[in-house]
């Protein structure tokens, strides 16, 4: 009997189901925990492999959590890719459908606004923690760290299209400066 060990597929189900259910505000909010589970807890990938798969997923068309599919593929082949993907999207989709029905029933209640205002800063903090994790993982040299800080500052303080920053980083890499 070939394929991935059942316990590995079971671990993928547990990890990615929990991540999917915790991904309030989008998949990037659970990126630090995904990194911790995949790199530190299960040792499926190294820091560098995780960052590379995340970059590949972000560069590819499709949902931003395509990284779960790539991790599953890397860990257990096609069965792992399908398991990780379905585990990442199945439970939260079911929960979202259920909560949306209830949320609609309470649309006129004043507490709904309070809940929404409370969730907004939480999601912003989770997204920022993902940005910090990726910044630390990718800043492998002083030059890369400076580029990361400069790009972050430019993004926060201007309305410059991020594609210009990507192009600039690519040119610096081609020139051998990063």
């Amino acid at each position: 009997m070939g394929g991935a060990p059942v316990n590995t597929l079971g671990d993928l189900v547990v990890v990615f189901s929990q991540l999917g259910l915790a991904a309030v505000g989008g998949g990037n909010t659970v990126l630090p925990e995904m990194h911790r589970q995949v790199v530190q807890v299960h040792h499926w990938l190294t820091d560098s492999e995780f960052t590379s798969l995340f970059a590949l997923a972000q560069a590819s068309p499709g949902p931003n959590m395509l990284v779960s599919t790539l991790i599953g593929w890397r860990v257990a082949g096609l069965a792992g890719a399908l398991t990780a993907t379905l585990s990442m999207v199945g439970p939260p989709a079911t929960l979202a459908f259920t909560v949306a029905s209830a949320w609609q029933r309470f649309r006129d209640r004043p507490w709904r606004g309070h809940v929404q205002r409370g969730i907004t800063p939480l999601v912003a903090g989770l997204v920022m923690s993902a940005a910090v994790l990726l910044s630390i993982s990718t800043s492998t040299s002083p030059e890369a760290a400076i580029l990361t800080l400069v790009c972050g500052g430019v993004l926060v303080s201007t309305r410059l299209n991020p594609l210009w920053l990507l192009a600039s980083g690519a040119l610096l890499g081609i020139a051998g400066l990063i």
Side-chain angles (χ1 to χ4, degrees), residues 131-158:
V132 168
L133 171 83
L134 289 173
S135 296
I136 291 168
S137 297
T138 58
S139 297
T140 56
S141 68
E143 295 85 4
I146 290 168
L147 180 61
T148 300
L149 289 171
V150 168
C151 287
V154 168
L155 286 173
V156 169
S157 63
T158 71

Side-chain angles (χ1 to χ4, degrees), residues 83-104:
T83 300
T85 304
L86 292 174
S87 297
M88 187 76 182
V89 299
T94 303
L95 179 63
F97 179 77
T98 304
V99 169
S101 297
W103 196 247
Q104 184 62 23

Side-chain angles (χ1 to χ4, degrees), residues 45-64:
L45 301 173
T46 65
D47 276 326
S48 177
E49 290 170 326
F50 180 87
T51 302
S52 295
L53 289 180
F54 178 75
L56 179 61
Q58 293 302 103
S60 302
N64 68 349

